[in-house]
Amino acid sequence: KEINVAVTGGAGQIAYSLLPRLISGETFGTDTKVNLRLIEIPQVVDKLEGTIMELVDCGFKQTGSLLATANIKEGVEGAHWVLLVGSIPRGIVVDGKKIEERSDLLRINGGIFTGQGKAIGELAQEGAKILVVGNPTNTNALIGRTKSNNLSQSWFAMTALDANRAKAQLAEKAGVGIASVTNMTVWGNHSPTMYPDPYNAKIDGVSAVEAISDLDWIENQYIPLVQQRGKAVIDARGASSAASAANAVIDTVKSVDSPTEDGNWFSAAVPSDGSYGIPEGLIFGFPLRSSGQGSVEIVQGIELNDFAKSKIKLTTEELLSEKEAVKDLLD
Ligand code: NAD
Ligand code: LMR
């Protein structure tokens, strides 16, 4: 088998952790040759030659052709998977002002996704899968998907890192291994309004809220900790999460491409079909199940209590206001 994978931001920090794992057999299987197309801005594209030298030097037998380009059209042509990582992270200073929130990146990064969306819609494979990582990821995906104008393709925005963080904190609190924590949903936006759902998450098959039995910790410590984890990493590391973000990209690709295990689900943001009252088309974090054959469905019938409903309302309102702020990019 052979697969074409396009990655924007190929010379960035997430890509540095991500790229070897895309061609090692870990992500697409040991029987699949991976042709990688690395896409960068013109000022940086030459650096990709060094990245390609390193990828060759890894010596993975699944390595297919390796291409570096500053031309998005060349990069996404024939792609089966497109990983849109390229964009500016928060923490940097723009026009004398430090970018504090992911939504402050809306005007800076949003524009990138118009041309990229159009190129993907026209040139990537019919049925291609696209994962947006660059922030603010949900609204960037909304822009890209709108501009792609190709309903055969599936767009995702990444919330798997939030889900992994959410599971890790529950496992630590409960004193269990991370594999005991399942059914994690991150509802809504990849932002401080996200709702990592502890009521429907399970620890060894029991609701995490019941298993932990400390509602004050859940509502007042755990949820804010997960919501603010990206900022905590930036403050501690002086740079935004990269290894864990790359890991979450791989988790998302594998979750979409493989059948979801019975009784479980995974987290990513997808265009709403109106489920749970979320306005249609908004790119919203939902619980998902994959058939492993190309179709991914939103899990239905999950019970949401008043606490959950109030959190989901907040994150929906934020996504609607982000949509409003970029409405000129959605025409
Ligand atoms: P980085 O600055 O190290 O790398 C970004 C790269 O993108 C740079 O090399 C830059 O030249 C390139 N780039 C910029 N515009 C581009 C364009 N139009 N086409 C192609 N490449 C372009 O940043 P990073 O740490 O790798 O993070 C990348 C993005 O991912 C940021 O927006 C960050 O906030 C986001 N992020 C999201 C999550 C998530 O969970 N969704 C997690 C971590 C980081
Ligand atoms: C993260 O969650 O780590 C990323 O979105 C980076 C950020 O700005 O928080």
Side-chain angles (χ1 to χ4, degrees):
K1 281 195 283 178
E2 205 160 324
I3 187 171
N4 301 329
V5 181
V7 185
T8 65
Q13 345 167 62
I14 294 177
Y16 197 69
S17 287
L18 175 66
L19 299 174
R21 296 177 69 185
L22 294 177
I23 56 169
S24 68
E26 176 187 359
T27 310
F28 298 104
T30 48
D31 57 348
T32 305
K33 190 171 262 196
V34 181
N35 301 317
L36 266 190
R37 287 89 188 270
L38 308 182
I39 302 156
E40 259 296 346
I41 52 174
Q43 305 89 299
V44 175
V45 71
D46 286 349
K47 279 196 182 172
L48 289 176
E49 290 310 322
T51 309
I52 287 181
M53 286 160 76
E54 283 209 66
L55 293 175
V56 168
D57 294 349
C58 286
F60 295 122
K61 68 179 188 325
Q62 295 80 9
T63 311
S65 61
L66 301 172
L67 170 87
T69 181
N71 180 342
I72 183 73
K73 290 186 175 169
E74 183 185 25
V76 300
E77 187 166 9
H80 299 91
W81 262 105
V82 183
L83 306 174
L84 296 175
V85 182
S87 46
I88 288 164
R90 64 176 159 159
I92 60 157
V93 177
V94 176
D95 295 337
K97 181 179 171 260
K98 188 160 176 223
I99 303 284
E100 296 285 358
E101 277 306 334
R102 298 182 186 99
S103 54
D104 297 333
L105 292 167
L106 209 49
R107 298 304 315 178
I108 303 172
N109 286 340
I112 296 175
F113 292 82
T114 55
Q116 292 186 345
K118 200 159 174 289
I120 290 165
E122 282 169 10
L123 297 165
Q125 297 280 342
E126 291 295 289
K129 289 162 272 190
I130 300 102
L131 175 63
V132 178
V133 178
N135 278 316
T137 176
N138 300 53
T139 299
N140 288 339
L142 177 70
I143 295 168
R145 178 174 185 256
T146 305
K147 290 294 175 185
S148 70
N149 197 24
N150 183 337
L151 291 177
S152 81
Q153 300 175 337
S154 303
W155 284 73
F156 302 86
M158 194 164 91
T159 58
L161 176 54
D162 309 303
N164 286 343
R165 291 166 172 165
K167 285 193 242 178
Q169 293 301 321
L170 287 179
E172 191 177 313
K173 178 76 175 174
V176 297
I178 187 110
S180 293
V181 187
T182 60
N183 302 77
M184 177 55 71
T185 313
V186 176
W187 296 90
N189 202 1
H190 173 63
S191 83
T193 67
M194 72 179 82
Y195 174 53
D197 183 348
Y199 286 93
N200 290 296
K202 292 180 184 157
I203 299 179
D204 292 323
V206 175
S207 160
V209 170
E210 225 175 286
I212 281 175
S213 187
D214 183 347
L215 201 54
D216 180 56
W217 179 82
I218 291 273
E219 293 189 352
N220 300 315
Q221 291 184 54
Y222 167 71
I223 292 176
L225 188 153
V226 176
Q227 291 171 327
Q228 294 292 347
R229 186 70 160 186
K231 169 117 182 20
V233 172
I234 290 172
D235 290 346
R237 210 173 86 83
S240 86
S241 316
S244 56
N247 184 61
V249 172
I250 287 157
D251 282 350
T252 308
V253 170
K254 285 163 67 176
S255 296
V256 169
D257 281 352
S258 339
T260 311
E261 64 177 355
D262 281 348
N264 202 357
W265 58 69
F266 68 96
S267 223
V270 293
S272 172
D273 58 1
S275 292
Y276 300 95
I278 306 306
E280 263 184 56
L282 219 54
I283 308 286
F284 200 87
F286 282 112
L288 302 174
R289 285 185 59 80
S290 173
S291 64
Q293 307 292 328
S295 77
V296 170
E297 287 182 351
I298 298 172
V299 177
Q300 300 298 321
I302 290 177
E303 206 178 307
L304 297 170
N305 60 16
D306 287 345
F307 178 78
K309 284 182 187 154
S310 70
K311 297 284 178 203
I312 289 174
K313 183 164 178 283
L314 260 182
T315 198
T316 306
E317 283 167 0
E318 182 182 52
L319 280 169
L320 287 170
S321 73
E322 287 187 16
K323 180 180 176 185
E324 178 63 22
V326 297
K327 64 173 186 239
D328 56 313
L329 301 180
L330 299 171
D331 287 338

